[in-house]
Amino acid sequence: MSVPPWLEPLLSTSFFSVCRVHRDAARSECNMFCLDCNGDAFCFYCRSSRHKDHHVIQIRRSSYHDVVRIAEIQKVLDISEVQTYVINSARVMFLNERPQPKAAKGVAHICEICGRSLLDPFRFCSLGCKLVGIKRNGDSSFKLECKDEELAVERREGIERKPVSSRSEEEELREGTQQDISPTTPPPPPSTARRSRKGIPHRAPFGS
């Protein structure tokens, strides 16, 4: 199948409402979607209680539009031909097309479906437009082509095995932001061993 069964439900889901079950909790915003259940959006607490071992992705927002981090979506979809953006240090893509009153003149690249101007030579502005393009032309696909089947399994497990551990981390992941992950500090270079103190110098014996 060129389109996974959970994609259309994801694109039509309304996110960022307040969870009816955990409305008084700190993280009650419904910004998560389960690829196994294909249901409604849910919050952090629903994930812990109802989707613990499922494949879950988190949706962010940029300028009132839903986006998903490339690091998450590329594990389950072939996202080639879709324009990506860097927002607050996070590389993301939009779920659906965004209205554009009038295309700017002299734009070199536009979305094949909605005509939105693009920054780079991609075919589509969003996952939704790529879906329309697949249905209309059949010359593209969302299916991952993995030569190694174990790699495909690792891609999906990478989503479910990465919990959001703290509120501060969750806040930095919202709104299209990304927590800065610095490379691990390299070990210091091996220190030069101190030379042992020399003993009392002995003068060489005089030759006879």
Side-chain angles (χ1 to χ4, degrees), residues 74-187:
Q74 69 181 359
K75 296 175 182 178
V76 291
L77 284 181
D78 179 353
I79 57 174
S80 60
E81 304 175 315
V82 181
Q83 175 72 62
T84 62
Y85 301 85
V86 177
I87 300 175
N88 295 332
S89 301
R91 185 165 290 278
V92 302
M93 66 174 41
F94 288 89
L95 294 189
N96 294 292
E97 67 175 270
R98 294 166 292 154
Q100 185 174 21
K102 187 177 181 180
K105 294 182 179 180
V107 175
H109 313 295
I110 62 172
C111 176
E112 293 182 7
I113 303 303
C114 69
R116 184 175 185 85
S117 57
L118 303 177
L119 302 176
D120 305 298
F122 290 97
R123 295 180 60 188
F124 310 107
C125 69
S126 62
L127 292 175
C129 282
K130 180 172 180 176
L131 176 61
V132 174
I134 291 174
K135 292 183 175 181
R136 179 181 299 176
N137 305 316
D139 60 349
S140 188
S141 174
F142 280 116
K143 184 179 180 180
L144 284 171
E145 298 293 340
C146 293
K147 295 181 180 179
D148 187 350
E149 293 183 1
E150 292 183 359
L151 177 60
V153 173
E154 289 176 1
R155 286 172 182 264
R156 290 187 55 95
E157 289 183 349
I159 295 179
E160 65 174 276
R161 295 178 183 274
K162 187 178 180 182
V164 180
S165 57
S166 64
R167 171 156 179 79
S168 60
E169 181 180 350
E170 172 73 8
E171 288 177 343
E172 293 185 5
L173 289 174
R174 288 181 52 221
E175 302 293 334
T177 61
Q178 177 185 29
Q179 185 179 14
D180 292 328
I181 302 176
S182 301
T184 55
T185 304

Side-chain angles (χ1 to χ4, degrees), residues 38-92:
N38 295 342
D40 296 329
F42 52 90
C43 74
F44 170 83
Y45 304 100
C46 290
R47 174 183 182 176
S48 302
S49 60
R50 302 178 186 177
H51 306 273
K52 185 177 181 181
D53 298 321
H54 294 181
H55 301 122
V56 174
I57 60 174
Q58 185 176 353
I59 305 303
R60 283 88 179 173
R61 267 198 170 171
S62 175
S63 302
Y64 303 101
H65 295 283
D66 297 336
V67 301
V68 61
R69 282 177 57 185
I70 302 302
E72 292 188 51
I73 198 66
Q74 69 181 359
K75 296 175 182 178
V76 291
L77 284 181
D78 179 353
I79 57 174
S80 60
E81 304 175 315
V82 181
Q83 175 72 62
T84 62
Y85 301 85
V86 177
I87 300 175
N88 295 332
S89 301
R91 185 165 290 278
V92 302

Side-chain angles (χ1 to χ4, degrees), residues 196-202:
S196 58
R197 301 184 63 181
K198 296 181 178 180
I200 300 174
H202 297 279

